[in-house]
Amino acid sequence: EEAKMSRKSKRSLKEKFALKNSLVKEAVSEFLGTFILIALGCGCVGQAVLSRGAHGGPMTVSVGFAMAVTIAVYVSGGVSGGHINPAVSLAMSVTGRLKWNKLPIYILAQLLGAFVGAAAVFGIYYDAFMEYSNGTLEVTGPNATAHIFATYPAPYLSLINGFADQVMSTAVLLLAIFAIFDTRNNSVPKGLEPIAVGLLIIVLTCSLGMNSGCAMNPARDLGPRLFTAVAGWGMEVFT
């Protein structure tokens, strides 16, 4: 009888904390996935920049960020599809795989996740940031740190070329994601799709990353950029 009671109380406790609403579950999932993406992805950039190249460089950023995407999709894929990207969610809505009324919730969760992920990177590397730039948070110059969080164009890049760059890289990203998850195609073994997505990010970063850092993801860029704007880098991050 006692065992039955404790089982019952355990179950009710679990039920209390269980999320009943599937949309809430999906929103939390997208939030967590995008949080992991930025915390680990921008963490790679932070480690490379703040160590002045001693603990990372273009290669660790390229592979590390791609693996951050892989882990993020594993974290959130089963619950919400692991979009972690408004461009992906929009494409899913356009192709009828995500209800339109869920789209704003997904996008908001992704933006919030990216914002909090950026805050986590800043918190973990706070002392390193202070040491790196003598306590000033700069957007440009030799001690610039804003580019750890968001993508910035190369000095030579025109607005039109930058626009074309992002359209092209995001289009290739979406084309390949749809191919990877298409069961009627030469399908990836079940459960290994996030690894294929990681490989895709490696090739995109290596091939289309030079102009403007290969964001291909409005939440991945805007969330951390908003964070830098309020955390001390100022409005210059939007210029």
Side-chain angles (χ1 to χ4, degrees):
E1 194 66 24
E2 229 169 63
K4 222 188 229 166
M5 284 296 287
S6 75
R7 260 211 312 274
K8 206 171 182 180
S9 69
K10 252 189 201 146
R11 197 168 63 229
S12 65
L13 190 71
K14 196 175 168 187
E15 278 166 6
K16 262 188 200 129
F17 287 104
L19 294 170
K20 295 283 191 286
N21 186 324
S22 67
L23 183 54
V24 173
K25 276 184 200 168
E26 288 162 36
V28 170
S29 166
E30 286 297 315
F31 172 87
L32 271 177
T34 318
F35 169 80
I36 293 280
L37 166 70
I38 299 301
L40 298 183
C42 291
C44 291
V45 189
Q47 179 166 307
V49 172
L50 296 170
S51 70
R52 299 193 188 271
H55 295 286
M59 216 46 230
T60 62
V61 170
S62 172
V63 175
F65 221 118
M67 292 302 96
V69 173
T70 293
I71 300 305
V73 177
Y74 271 123
V75 164
S76 55
V79 180
S80 62
H83 299 174
I84 59 172
N85 182 344
V88 173
S89 298
L90 177 64
M92 293 294 174
S93 289
V94 169
T95 53
R97 292 156 204 234
L98 179 70
K99 291 195 180 104
W100 281 103
N101 62 348
K102 286 185 175 182
L103 182 62
I105 309 287
Y106 268 56
I107 291 175
L108 189 64
Q110 291 156 356
L111 270 170
L112 277 172
F115 185 93
V116 178
V121 172
F122 187 52
I124 288 293
Y125 282 133
Y126 181 79
D127 292 347
F129 274 102
M130 293 302 118
E131 201 265 339
Y132 183 85
S133 56
N134 295 322
T136 54
L137 304 172
E138 294 168 32
V139 180
T140 51
N143 287 337
T145 44
H147 63 289
I148 289 171
F149 297 96
T151 59
Y152 288 84
Y156 59 77
L157 195 69
S158 68
L159 190 61
I160 195 103
N161 197 172
F163 181 74
D165 170 281
Q166 284 302 298
V167 169
M168 163 88 176
S169 55
T170 308
V172 174
L173 173 76
L174 291 172
L175 172 73
I177 282 175
F178 273 81
I180 287 166
F181 285 93
D182 185 353
T183 49
R184 291 160 305 185
N185 199 342
N186 192 357
S187 69
V188 178
K190 192 139 184 57
L192 293 183
E193 299 94 346
I195 291 173
V197 174
L199 293 171
L200 164 65
I201 304 298
I202 291 178
V203 72
L204 282 166
T205 316
C206 291
S207 59
L208 299 174
M210 187 173 92
N211 284 336
S212 50
C214 227
M216 311 177 291
N217 180 340
R220 174 259 169 280
D221 192 85
L222 183 58
R225 199 182 295 275
L226 287 168
F227 172 77
T228 51
V230 298
W233 280 266
M235 296 312 280
E236 197 191 337
V237 298
F238 290 109
T239 57

